[in-house]
Amino acid sequence: MPTIKNVCVFCGSNHGLDPAYEQQTRALGQYLAAHHHPVVYGGGKEGLMGTIAESTMAAGGEVIGIIPTFLKQMDLAETNVTRLIETATMDERKDEMLRQADAFIVLPGGFGTFEEFTTMLSWSQLNVHQKPIALFNINHYFDSLVEMMQTCCDQGFAPQANMDLFIDADTIDDIFAQFDSFHHQLPYKYTN
């Protein structure tokens, strides 16, 4: 697997009710800075998005924010980042995140976070990219989502091998250990 440098972090624009979400987001930002992994994220200043940017920058790391112009115009952008990239649309934002990132970590979040995760997962399934994707499953936040995806496989809507296209981990160390051993493999071949 290619070396992981830039790590894209998908996360909520709210903090959530459990203090562990913000604590672990802050710990992740510090870890990424200490291990020289620039953070790619959605460019926002609110919620866990603001926490990942602030904690990474405060620890001496690099942060690349990617935000659609209309959200920046609503004063939602975090400007204290290494680089802020504006896009015309939400879809262009995801395209740019894919270009900038070598791996993805999904923190707890809302519908937008789920959409970002499932987009990158479906693109992996289609062999658009071969990059590792990890759910940072803080306090079992993603258990029901993982169960639903397993049901999808059990009911014949996806091959069981697709469950290996993402990592389900509850610690930062486990995420990076699994990144090191990740191998993108599809149960079928796509031809161009």
Side-chain angles (χ1 to χ4, degrees):
M1 193 189 92
T3 301
I4 292 173
K5 185 181 177 192
N6 292 6
V7 175
C8 182
V9 179
F10 295 134
C11 55
S13 57
N14 291 293
H15 289 103
L17 299 177
D18 187 337
Y21 302 145
E22 185 166 13
Q23 291 164 1
Q24 289 300 306
T25 300
R26 192 167 298 285
L28 177 63
Q30 293 165 351
Y31 179 98
L32 293 170
H35 291 83
H36 309 290
H37 292 294
V39 170
V40 176
Y41 88 116
K45 64 180 181 180
E46 304 294 336
L48 297 186
M49 293 177 77
T51 300
I52 194 66
E54 180 274 323
S55 60
T56 304
M57 292 294 291
E62 296 179 45
V63 176
I64 302 165
I66 303 172
I67 193 166
T69 300
F70 80 93
L71 290 179
K72 187 178 180 196
Q73 290 171 344
M74 294 168 64
D75 193 32
L76 295 175
E78 175 56 70
T79 55
N80 182 31
V81 293
T82 310
R83 184 173 167 213
L84 188 65
I85 299 170
E86 285 186 54
T87 64
T89 66
M90 297 290 280
D91 287 338
E92 287 181 18
R93 178 204 227 175
K94 286 194 296 289
D95 288 342
E96 186 63 27
M97 287 171 149
L98 178 60
R99 273 193 291 278
Q100 294 282 343
D102 301 307
F104 301 90
I105 296 176
V106 186
L107 288 167
F111 294 176
T113 303
F114 295 152
E115 189 266 343
E116 289 165 332
F117 167 62
T118 56
T119 296
M120 292 306 160
L121 186 60
S122 66
W123 288 356
S124 177
Q125 174 186 261
L126 294 170
N127 210 28
V128 173
H129 73 86
Q130 300 81 39
K131 300 171 183 180
I133 307 165
L135 294 174
F136 190 176
N137 200 352
I138 301 166
N139 286 355
H140 306 282
Y141 183 79
F142 290 114
D143 284 0
S144 56
L145 177 62
V146 174
E147 183 180 340
M148 183 64 231
M149 291 191 289
Q150 183 58 60
T151 298
C152 175
C153 297
D154 293 344
Q155 294 297 317
F157 289 100
Q160 182 61 40
N162 279 11
M163 295 297 286
D164 294 330
L165 294 175
F166 70 94
I167 294 159
D168 177 14
D170 61 5
T171 68
I172 296 166
D173 287 341
D174 191 22
I175 288 170
F176 280 87
Q178 292 194 61
F179 276 174
D180 286 343
S181 62
F182 179 80
H183 178 70
H184 184 269
Q185 188 162 343
L186 297 173
Y188 35 73
K189 299 285 185 205
Y190 284 96
T191 56
N192 295 331

